């Protein structure tokens, strides 16, 4: 999993980074379209990862990249629902932390 947040007009990876590269063009497309793309979707289904928009209560925050161990499972409706739900909850958590005072953010991270 990789989190890409919008900072100064670009999607920037945050936190510990997997060694593999990510598709920055696909991530940008997901951010701009507000729709999932990549593995298990109708948009770029042959991509190595699934890219989900991170949408908080005040709009788009970034993109969540999920690289599967078992790519076939991403086609299962229950897995898709679970991943979209996780992305929505992650976006709300990121939004909440971002709104916290700097002292509180330092304690969280």
């Amino acid at each position: 999993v990789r989190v890409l947040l919008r900072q100064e007009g670009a999607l920037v990876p945050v936190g510990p980074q997997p060694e593999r590269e990510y598709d920055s063009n696909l991530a940008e497309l997901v951010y701009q379209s507000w729709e999932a793309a990549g593995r298990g979707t109708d948009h770029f289904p042959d991509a190595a990862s699934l890219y989900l928009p991170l949408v908080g209560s005040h709009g788009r925050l970034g993109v969540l990249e999920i690289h599967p161990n078992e790519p076939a499972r991403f086609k299962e409706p229950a897995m898709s629902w679970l991943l979209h739900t996780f992305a929505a909850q992650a976006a709300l958590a990121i939004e909440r932390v971002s709104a916290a005072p700097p002292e509180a953010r330092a304690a969280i991270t």
Side-chain angles (χ1 to χ4, degrees):
V1 173
R2 182 185 333 249
V3 175
L4 305 157
L5 296 180
R6 191 63 139 194
Q7 296 176 359
E8 299 178 15
L11 288 172
V12 178
V14 296
Q17 296 302 304
E19 292 181 18
R20 66 184 156 60
E21 293 293 317
Y22 68 97
D23 187 333
S24 60
N25 292 328
L26 190 51
E28 187 64 37
L29 173 75
V30 167
Y31 182 83
Q32 294 299 329
S33 70
W34 298 56
E35 291 185 35
R39 180 68 66 174
T41 71
D42 293 335
H43 306 293
F44 305 97
D46 294 330
S49 297
L50 171 64
Y51 293 83
L52 299 169
L54 291 171
V55 181
S57 59
H58 299 293
R60 297 170 292 179
L61 302 170
V63 174
L64 181 68
E65 178 212 10
I66 304 171
H67 189 79
N69 289 335
E70 298 177 42
R73 294 213 50 214
F74 276 22
K75 292 184 180 183
E76 298 173 13
M79 181 61 72
S80 176
W81 177 84
L82 178 67
L83 294 172
H84 280 82
T85 301
F86 177 77
Q89 291 296 308
L92 292 174
I94 291 167
E95 188 175 60
R96 188 168 182 161
V97 168
S98 297
E103 316 77 54
R105 278 186 296 204
I108 294 168
T109 58

